[in-house]
Amino acid sequence: MSKFPWKKQKAGFEESLIYLKGRKEGLIKSIKTPWEKFNDATTAGIEWHSMTVIGGRPGSGKTLMKDQFIKEAFPLNPAENFRVLEFQLEMLARTSAIRSYSSELGVSYKYLCSAEGLLSNEDLQKCFEYAKKRVKYPIDIVETPPTVEELKVIIDEYMDNNSTYIDKVIKDENDNEKSIKIKEFTKTIITIDHSILIKSSKHHKSKQDTLYELGETLTALKKKYPIAFIVLSQLNRSIDKPERQEDGKYGNYVLESDIFGADALLQHADLVVGLNRPGKQKIRFYGPDGYIIENDKVLVMHFLKCRNGDVRMSFFNAAFEKMSIEEMNTPPQRQRRSNTI
């Protein structure tokens, strides 16, 4: 048998019609996110067998966005049977849990750590109650940074451990039906925070080589399993050039080329979102359209690549004090550009 077997076109069309029928009947759904603007830009959320890359400066809200997505994934998608595997390579699982309490209670991380007044017994009890509720969800965590090869082994073992055999009727090339047993894998959201923290192997000459192999590996895994990858990435230093911080310049925007390792990751990604907090860079009028930025909590999501959706720019409020990202109206503009050239 060929090492690289081909697939008949007929199979692709059959699979597509099954998928469309399942979407129409509500049997196949995307993973709904907490943000309607995000869902509207995509296929009503994040599809299975996909890879999403979220890029931004430090402190732009990447991990906050990922954490809120995971926190609300189960309540927002109650009919879906899925698990979560998080590669939390930047922070401890304990830290992530405290951030969840902050979001749930609407209080600051510092307060929960008794760093701005003592945490009240009442709020501590609320943390206990919330923890009891959250640990019921099937979420697992990897804290030690793996190499790409180790990451693949971990995911293969994880998917195999969360699978069952089912009877399925298929048709052969002559349209004759026969029953076979196939392995069915549990749908899984896998997050990687951050891509740059994946360890390089000895054969990698640079971090770029590591990211190329990571992209190729994740693509193979998302085709093999019902996985939705969420990969967090830093931005290149060019985003911080002084000329890109000038009010009203196109350079204010996050571009595809700003994603660290863009060539390595973007070609494999189905969805790419660039995050920016213009106020943090003292930008008052954002981009050529001159969107008025009132404070450093304004968060801009640049949908840079939407393989099955629409590229666009949407505005949110980053409420870091309670670890939450909230939708907001598009800010007014200083002045609209003329349609004439």
Side-chain angles (χ1 to χ4, degrees), residues 93-245:
R94 177 193 68 197
T95 303
S96 180
I98 296 173
R99 288 163 64 101
S100 293
Y101 302 145
S102 176
S103 175
E104 178 68 14
L105 274 63
V107 298
S108 72
Y109 186 100
K110 290 178 65 176
Y111 166 69
L112 289 170
C113 294
S114 297
E116 53 179 25
L118 286 179
L119 171 65
S120 70
N121 290 332
E122 180 183 0
D123 285 336
L124 180 58
Q125 183 59 35
K126 290 179 180 178
C127 291
F128 273 101
E129 293 171 359
Y130 180 68
K132 289 179 182 179
K133 181 170 63 175
R134 278 297 300 273
V135 297
K136 294 178 181 178
Y137 296 134
I139 300 177
D140 297 294
I141 296 170
V142 176
E143 289 185 309
T144 304
T147 62
V148 176
E149 297 94 327
E150 291 168 342
L151 178 139
K152 181 181 183 303
V153 170
I154 292 170
I155 292 176
D156 278 333
E157 290 183 355
Y158 190 84
M159 298 305 293
D160 190 61
N161 288 340
N162 293 286
S163 64
T164 56
Y165 283 94
I166 62 171
D167 292 319
K168 185 173 182 179
V169 177
I170 63 170
K171 292 183 179 181
D172 60 23
E173 293 184 354
N174 299 316
D175 283 338
N176 297 316
E177 293 186 349
K178 62 178 181 179
S179 179
I180 61 170
K181 284 190 177 295
I182 64 169
K183 183 180 286 188
E184 185 175 74
F185 299 98
T186 301
K187 296 175 183 176
T188 305
I189 300 171
I190 299 181
T191 69
I192 301 176
D193 185 2
H194 287 57
S195 60
I196 197 173
L197 297 178
I198 295 294
K199 288 170 55 180
S200 295
S201 298
K202 292 181 179 179
H203 61 276
H204 294 153
K205 296 180 180 179
S206 67
K207 183 58 71 173
Q208 199 80 359
D209 288 345
T210 304
L211 293 179
Y212 271 113
E213 186 174 353
L214 176 64
E216 291 170 356
T217 298
L218 297 188
T219 292
L221 289 169
K222 75 178 183 181
K223 288 184 176 181
K224 182 178 180 181
Y225 302 118
I227 290 174
F229 283 110
I230 311 293
V231 182
L232 306 191
S233 174
Q234 297 286 1
L235 298 185
N236 295 315
R237 292 188 179 276
S238 59
I239 189 73
D240 292 319
K241 290 182 177 180
E243 58 267 27
R244 297 191 65 176
Q245 315 308 317

Side-chain angles (χ1 to χ4, degrees), residues 243-244 246-255 286-288 337:
E243 58 267 27
R244 297 191 65 176
E246 297 177 17
D247 281 346
K249 300 292 185 180
Y250 183 72
N252 296 162
Y253 296 160
V254 178
L255 309 175
Y286 192 57
R337 289 180 296 173

Side-chain angles (χ1 to χ4, degrees), residues 10 37-38 43 73 115 117 138 154 212 221 240 267 280 314 331-332:
K10 177 183 177 182
K37 289 183 178 181
F38 190 105
T43 317
I154 292 170
Y212 271 113
L221 289 169
D240 292 319
Q267 61 183 321
K280 194 177 179 185
S314 298

Side-chain angles (χ1 to χ4, degrees), residues 276-336:
N276 207 1
R277 286 173 62 196
K280 194 177 179 185
Q281 275 64 51
K282 309 303 181 185
I283 297 172
R284 296 178 56 230
F285 305 107
Y286 192 57
D289 287 310
Y291 293 106
I292 299 173
I293 305 301
E294 294 186 352
N295 55 58
D296 65 0
K297 293 183 179 181
V298 175
L299 176 66
V300 189
M301 288 189 193
H302 291 268
F303 292 86
L304 302 172
K305 177 182 178 182
C306 295
R307 183 165 284 164
N308 302 317
D310 309 311
V311 293
R312 63 178 67 178
M313 180 170 59
S314 298
F315 292 84
F316 298 79
N317 177 62
F320 286 96
E321 70 280 0
K322 56 180 181 179
M323 296 296 171
S324 178
I325 293 175
E326 304 159 349
E327 294 189 341
M328 61 175 282
N329 294 328
T330 300
Q333 297 168 251
R334 176 175 57 174
Q335 61 181 20
R336 293 187 179 275

